Amino acid sequence: MTDQQLAERLQPIFEHLHENPEVSWSEVETTAYIANLLRQEGFEPQTFENMTGLYVDIGKGTPKVGFRTDMDALWQEVDGQFRANHSCGHDGHMTMALGTFLLLKELAPTLPGAVRIIFQPAEEKAQGAKALVRQGVVDSLQFLFGTHVRPLVELQDGTYAPALYHGAAKLFTGTITGVEAHGARPEQGVNAIEVAAALIDGIKRLWISPTQSASIKMTQLQAGGTATNIIPGSASFSMDARAQNNETMEALTVGFEKVAAAVSTMYGASIEYRVDAHIAAAQVDDTAKSIMQQAIIDVAGIENCAPEVVTPGGEDFHFYAYSKPQLQTTMLGLGCGVTPGLHHPQMTFNRQRLPIGAQIITRALVLALQQVERSE
């Protein structure tokens, strides 16, 4: 398949995916569309009984090398109306995955092993990777690659990075239960707002190494009713924690738990909370990164191979290596002029980079198969 033929094949695929966005765990039509396309090419994709998403294997034997793409869109206000919207580039990621599939199909007779292409739901909720791990989808893999379009502040259009070092994130939600009282008799109550203020003050005093990037803060607080002369006895809150690596995130988590316990004891209030989402920080494997770097050089030239990118954002992809430490992973950073920025309702990017991204990914998968063959 020539470069022009690949570009022409991928254009209507991207347009369909872009124009039919679906939010996390609702990627029903997207799953059906991709499965149908794969069947038309003579392959039998594997879907799931109780969730969206799918995967397909190409080549002979048990797959040892894989590529994962995300599928879901964001729910956000666009031109005054809330709707599903592909403002994080997942439409482009799926297009590259399908381009990779088409290229691998041509190479199938000569592949030294099998490749698994995974279409993962619910990346934006940081739940899809965990669900696929439970399904055993990555159990046989040694290498797993991913990709993400990058904003101009990180990568120039037409350049490509062999690794993305995303940070870790945890989202907590919780409730504070104190005692309601009359505003004239505060000593008879336990003010949930004052408890929340103490919680905020406590987490601000957590000590993290100055060499590490980290933050934890309260992002939502609801307390009290319509009467201003009642001391509120209950409140609900949300916390957002960020760290550049998993060890620092663990330190933040332990610190928050200690602060919550201390404030609860001090005020005689109950503080209950749960982790709604946990996004692991990148654990990039050096061999996987070198394979991706060589793939970039082979396809786009050494002059377009950019350094690895360190970014404060989170990405559910890294949960695979977090849960399966033996898995060797990295993500291709696709410099495609994302503007104004990721998650902006009017986000756009240079779609002409998608076929090149598919070629780089395909080359990386072939190189990884060769690496596996040499090590066996």
Side-chain angles (χ1 to χ4, degrees):
M1 186 180 299
T2 66
D3 294 352
Q4 183 63 31
Q5 287 172 330
L6 179 63
E8 290 175 355
R9 185 72 193 276
L10 295 185
Q11 180 179 347
I13 291 174
F14 175 82
E15 290 175 353
H16 175 88
L17 294 169
H18 180 74
E19 293 167 5
N20 294 275
E22 295 175 301
V23 297
S24 301
W25 295 128
S26 297
E27 308 95 333
V28 176
E29 193 277 338
T30 304
T31 298
Y33 172 79
I34 294 170
N36 184 57
L37 189 152
L38 296 173
R39 291 189 185 104
Q40 289 177 353
E41 294 293 328
F43 287 74
E44 187 51 47
Q46 302 298 309
T47 56
F48 307 101
E49 291 184 3
N50 56 348
M51 56 183 261
T52 49
L54 68 155
Y55 66 91
V56 65
D57 294 340
I58 305 171
K60 297 178 181 179
T62 302
K64 298 291 183 66
V65 175
F67 174 76
R68 167 270 196 190
T69 180
D70 33 25
M71 303 171 66
D72 52 332
L74 289 156
W75 183 260
Q76 62 185 158
E77 187 175 0
V78 184
D79 297 329
Q81 181 179 2
F82 277 92
R83 63 175 178 85
N85 185 43
H86 270 305
S87 60
C88 197
H90 297 189
D91 45 358
H93 302 166
M94 288 184 283
T95 301
M96 283 187 280
L98 289 167
T100 298
F101 163 79
L102 293 171
L103 292 170
L104 286 173
K105 180 187 174 185
E106 290 189 341
L107 298 173
T110 61
L111 289 177
V115 173
R116 176 163 291 176
I117 298 181
I118 303 165
F119 296 85
Q120 180 207 302
E123 189 279 329
E124 296 293 353
K125 288 187 175 294
Q127 297 171 351
K130 184 179 294 184
L132 290 188
V133 167
R134 286 197 299 264
Q135 295 279 353
V137 173
V138 298
D139 285 355
S140 69
L141 301 182
Q142 180 178 333
F143 287 97
L144 181 64
F145 298 97
T147 188
H148 208 298
V149 298
R150 304 316 301 162
L152 279 169
V153 295
E154 291 183 355
L155 278 180
Q156 289 299 307
D157 187 14
T159 65
Y160 310 92
L164 299 176
Y165 286 86
H166 290 94
K170 273 190 181 178
L171 308 178
F172 301 87
T173 57
T175 57
I176 298 169
T177 304
V179 179
E180 266 193 17
H182 194 288
R185 302 176 183 86
E187 74 283 358
Q188 295 180 1
V190 177
N191 191 331
I193 293 177
E194 292 180 359
V195 176
L199 194 58
I200 293 169
D201 186 60
I203 61 174
K204 288 170 65 177
R205 298 173 188 274
L206 292 176
W207 287 98
I208 297 296
S209 170
T211 63
Q212 300 299 323
S213 172
S215 69
I216 182 168
K217 56 276 181 191
M218 189 173 289
T219 54
Q220 291 179 324
L221 178 65
Q222 291 85 34
T226 58
T228 58
N229 63 344
I230 297 176
I231 291 174
S234 63
S236 60
F237 65 89
S238 297
M239 308 279 291
D240 178 283
R242 304 278 169 165
Q244 198 57 53
N245 59 52
N246 294 314
E247 294 75 19
T248 304
M249 176 56 71
E250 181 61 22
L252 280 180
T253 301
V254 170
F256 168 62
E257 291 170 350
K258 290 180 177 179
V259 169
V263 170
S264 177
T265 300
M266 182 170 64
Y267 280 87
S270 170
I271 302 176
E272 298 182 352
Y273 54 88
R274 67 177 185 272
V275 177
D276 279 347
H278 175 202
I279 301 172
Q283 295 171 285
V284 175
D285 176 77
D286 287 341
T287 302
K289 181 171 65 175
S290 67
I291 288 172
M292 185 61 75
Q293 184 177 51
Q294 187 60 53
I296 293 169
I297 293 170
D298 290 349
V299 173
I302 192 169
E303 67 277 9
N304 293 316
C305 184
E308 56 211 32
V309 173
V310 178
T311 177
E315 168 51 74
D316 195 31
F317 173 84
H318 303 298
F319 185 81
Y320 292 106
Y322 182 81
S323 62
K324 302 283 186 179
Q326 74 279 7
L327 199 56
Q328 296 173 268
T329 66
T330 193
M331 295 191 82
L332 168 69
L334 193 82
C336 54
V338 170
T339 185
L342 294 170
H343 289 208
H344 189 284
Q346 306 297 337
M347 188 274 278
T348 187
F349 63 90
N350 185 355
R351 303 173 187 178
Q352 294 179 1
R353 305 302 177 197
L354 298 179
I356 301 173
Q359 291 172 333
I360 293 171
I361 294 160
T362 302
R363 180 61 179 157
L365 293 169
V366 171
L367 291 172
L369 282 174
Q370 294 170 354
Q371 175 72 22
V372 171
E373 187 180 35
R374 287 194 298 268
S375 64
E376 290 181 343

